[in-house]
Amino acid sequence: MASTFGKPNIEHSNPLARTLLEKLDYDQLTNCMRCGFCLPACPTFNETGMEPASPRGRIAMMKAAVDGLMEPDEQFKDQMNLCLGCRACEPACPADVKYGQLIEQTKEALEEHAQHSAPVKIMRKTLFKGVFPKRGSMKLLGGSLAFYQKSGLQKVARGTGIMKLFPKHLAEMEQILPEASSKGVVERMGTFYAAKGKKVGTVAMFRGCIMDVMFADTNVNTVELLSAAGFDVHIPDAQVCCGALYAHSGEMEDARALAKTNIDVFKELGVDYIVSNAGGCGALLIEYDHLLAQDEQYREDGKWFAERVIDISTLLVEKGNPLEFADRSSQTEHVKVTYQDSCHLRNVMKGSSAPRTLMKNVANTEYIEMVESDRCCGSAGTYNVVQPEMAGSILEHKMVHADRTEASYMLTSNPGCLLQMKLGIEKHKPQQPMQAMHIVDFLHERMLCSK
C-alpha cells in the first residue's frame, strides 16, 4: 500500500529493509522504466551477462526490498557491492534516473548494518578517521612511503619475497606505485601563484589527498599550466579530502562533514572557478549541492560551490589563454597517443571532449581513439582492491583495445585510472612500448608558450 508521500507505507521486519526505505529516493526508483538502455553501458553486466549485475537489475532489487517483495539478503549486498559506481548508465538513461545517488544511498544503508571483521574495522577507522581527513597524517603517509621507496627497503621487500605474503593484487599494485612525497603543492609553491601574461580569471585548485601525496608533481604541473593560461591560482592549505572515498564506502555523514569544511575554505576566496585535476574528486565536488541538499545551513553554499567546480582540461579549452604544445621527442614521425576516459569526468562532469581537444592540439602527435575508451578500466576508487577479480577481468579487456592503438602514451585524467593503466601495461606488455601518464603531465612536458 502506497502512502500519500510516494513511499510505501510498510513496517519492515528486516532492519536493512527499514533503512533502505528511509534512505532511498523512491521517486528515482519509480523513474526507472526498465527499458534496458543501461545494459550495454554497464561493465559488470557485460562481464557477467546477469540481470542483477546491471543498473536496471540493481534498481529492481532496491525497489523490491523497499516494497517488501524481497528480503535484502547476501545476494542483494553482493550485487550492490559489485557495482563499480562508474555511472556510465546515467548518460544512457532516457528517463534521467540518478543511479549514482541511488547506489550511494544503498551503500550508506548497507554500511549502517555491516558486520565487519576486526581487521577491517581497524583499517576503516584508521583511514577514514585518522588519515584521509588530516593533512598531517597524509604528509606522514607520504613521507613513510617515500622512505620505503628510496631507503632500500623496497628492494629488500621485493628481493626477499616478502611481498608474496600479501594478496596477489596488492603485490601487483605495489610494483607500479609512483614516487611518494611528504611535500605537496603548497609546500613547493605556496598558497598563491600569479597568472602569466594576460590575466583571464582567478581560480582555486583542489589538490586532493592521494593526489598530493602520490602525484604531487602533477599538482605542481597543474598550477603552472593554469598560470600559463592566464589564471591567478589560489591553493588553500586548509582544504581537506573531497569525501569521494567516503561516499563510495557508505560513510555519508563523514563525506558531508568534509564537504562543509571545503565549502567554508573555498568560499572565503571568492574565486571564479574551483579546479580539479582528478575526475573522481571532481565528480563529488560538483555534487556538493546534492550531498547537502537537506542541510538548511549549507544548501545554498553547496550550490555556490558546485556551480564553480570544473576540470582543468575544460577550463583550459573554454576559458584560458591559448597555449602551444609540441612533442619534441621525434622530428621525423608523429608520436601516437590514446586516452582512457575517467568515468566520473565523462559521466558526471561531462568532460570527455576537452582532453581530446588538448591532445589533438599537440604538434607532432597523432591521437588514436581507443575502442571502448569510455568503458571503466576497473579502478573505480578502491574497487580494484576490494573486487580484484572483476577489476582484473575488466582490465584484461581494456588492454586488448589499448594494444591495438599502438600508442606510445596512454593518457588519463584521474589517479586511480592512471595506476590501473600502469598495472595493465606492466602485466600485459603491449607490443608497442607504452607509458601511462596523466594528461596534465603530458601537456606540461610539451608546453611551449602562450599564444
Side-chain angles (χ1 to χ4, degrees), residues 5-7 19-32 59 62-63 66 97-98 101-103 105-106 290 294:
F5 297 98
K7 289 191 177 185
T19 306
L20 288 167
L21 176 60
E22 173 194 346
K23 301 284 186 185
L24 282 166
D25 185 332
Y26 200 74
D27 287 340
Q28 291 299 324
L29 290 178
T30 55
N31 280 346
C32 178
I59 291 174
M62 294 173 194
K63 190 171 185 300
V66 168
V97 175
K98 306 299 184 186
Q101 297 174 12
L102 289 173
I103 196 67
Q105 291 161 359
T106 301
H290 162 70
Q294 305 304 315

Side-chain angles (χ1 to χ4, degrees), residues 384-396:
N384 55 355
V385 175
V386 298
Q387 298 281 353
E389 185 175 345
M390 179 60 72
S393 179
I394 292 170
L395 182 59
E396 289 276 351

Side-chain angles (χ1 to χ4, degrees), residues 12-290:
H12 290 289
S13 59
N14 183 289
L16 176 55
R18 287 199 299 269
T19 306
L20 288 167
L21 176 60
E22 173 194 346
K23 301 284 186 185
L24 282 166
D25 185 332
Y26 200 74
D27 287 340
Q28 291 299 324
L29 290 178
T30 55
N31 280 346
C32 178
M33 303 184 298
R34 313 292 190 262
C35 65
F37 278 90
C38 60
L39 299 184
C42 177
T44 52
F45 177 78
N46 279 281
E47 291 294 324
T48 66
M50 296 171 55
E51 177 73 14
S54 71
R56 180 177 71 177
R58 292 188 181 100
I59 291 174
M61 293 175 72
M62 294 173 194
K63 190 171 185 300
V66 168
D67 289 342
L69 301 178
M70 69 167 285
E71 292 282 313
D73 54 12
E74 287 304 312
Q75 183 188 17
F76 176 92
K77 297 174 186 177
D78 289 344
Q79 288 301 340
M80 299 304 152
N81 288 325
L82 190 65
C83 176
L84 289 142
C86 69
R87 296 173 67 170
C89 52
E90 292 187 11
C93 179
D96 193 30
V97 175
K98 306 299 184 186
Y99 176 82
Q101 297 174 12
L102 289 173
I103 196 67
E104 284 185 356
Q105 291 161 359
T106 301
K107 291 286 187 71
E108 184 179 15
L110 289 174
E111 184 55 32
E112 286 192 16
H113 298 274
Q115 296 181 335
H116 297 303
S117 64
V120 171
K121 285 181 180 178
I122 293 171
M123 180 185 70
R124 288 178 69 98
K125 185 175 181 180
T126 300
L127 293 177
F128 289 144
K129 301 294 185 182
V131 178
F132 291 137
K134 298 178 180 179
R135 178 60 189 161
S137 297
M138 291 301 300
K139 289 175 67 176
L140 179 61
L141 174 63
S144 300
L145 282 172
F147 178 77
Y148 166 75
Q149 291 171 329
K150 297 176 182 178
S151 66
L153 287 176
Q154 186 177 53
K155 290 183 178 179
V156 171
R158 293 176 179 178
T160 57
I162 291 176
M163 295 308 302
K164 293 180 181 179
L165 300 176
F166 292 86
K168 181 181 177 182
H169 63 283
L170 293 182
E172 290 174 344
M173 290 299 294
E174 190 271 347
Q175 293 282 333
I176 48 87
L177 286 178
E179 289 189 5
S181 175
S182 62
K183 294 183 179 180
V185 63
V186 169
E187 287 80 11
R188 299 188 194 188
M189 307 183 80
T191 57
F192 179 78
Y193 201 81
K196 295 179 180 177
K198 178 185 176 183
K199 179 183 172 181
V200 295
T202 303
V203 303
M205 181 195 166
F206 191 83
R207 69 184 175 195
C209 46
I210 298 298
M211 281 296 298
D212 216 38
V213 168
M214 303 303 298
F215 302 94
D217 288 345
T218 305
N219 276 353
V220 170
N221 293 342
T222 296
V223 173
E224 292 184 349
L225 277 176
L226 290 169
S227 172
F231 296 99
D232 279 346
V233 186
H234 291 273
I235 318 156
D237 193 33
Q239 63 180 290
V240 293
C241 173
C242 67
L245 291 177
Y246 293 77
H248 301 332
S249 302
E251 304 281 355
M252 296 303 294
E253 284 306 311
D254 285 341
R256 294 183 185 101
L258 292 168
K260 292 175 185 178
T261 298
N262 282 325
I263 288 170
D264 289 341
V265 169
F266 282 86
K267 201 165 190 299
E268 285 185 0
L269 301 173
V271 294
D272 302 315
Y273 298 99
I274 298 167
V275 184
S276 168
N277 60 9
C281 294
L284 189 71
L285 297 174
I286 207 169
E287 291 192 338
Y288 271 9
D289 54 344
H290 162 70

Side-chain angles (χ1 to χ4, degrees), residues 246-368:
Y246 293 77
H248 301 332
S249 302
E251 304 281 355
M252 296 303 294
E253 284 306 311
D254 285 341
R256 294 183 185 101
L258 292 168
K260 292 175 185 178
T261 298
N262 282 325
I263 288 170
D264 289 341
V265 169
F266 282 86
K267 201 165 190 299
E268 285 185 0
L269 301 173
V271 294
D272 302 315
Y273 298 99
I274 298 167
V275 184
S276 168
N277 60 9
C281 294
L284 189 71
L285 297 174
I286 207 169
E287 291 192 338
Y288 271 9
D289 54 344
H290 162 70
L291 190 64
L292 299 171
Q294 305 304 315
D295 190 305
E296 292 186 6
Q297 182 180 353
Y298 278 88
R299 184 183 299 126
E300 292 304 316
D301 286 345
K303 291 179 182 178
W304 177 92
F305 189 100
E307 288 170 353
R308 284 160 178 77
V309 174
I310 191 169
D311 183 71
I312 180 173
S313 293
T314 302
L315 185 67
L316 291 177
V317 169
E318 297 183 358
K319 305 294 181 181
N321 292 328
L323 299 174
E324 288 185 341
F325 304 99
D327 193 296
R328 289 158 285 188
S329 62
S330 174
Q331 301 299 319
T332 59
E333 59 182 23
H334 288 177
V335 174
K336 292 182 180 180
V337 301
T338 192
Y339 182 69
Q340 166 61 27
D341 280 286
S342 157
C343 294
H344 287 111
L345 176 57
R346 183 184 185 94
N347 301 323
V348 183
M349 300 184 76
K350 313 303 180 188
S352 63
S353 63
R356 288 169 168 82
T357 297
L358 290 169
M359 285 180 281
K360 291 175 183 178
N361 285 342
V362 179
N364 302 325
T365 66
E366 179 184 357
Y367 175 70
I368 308 295

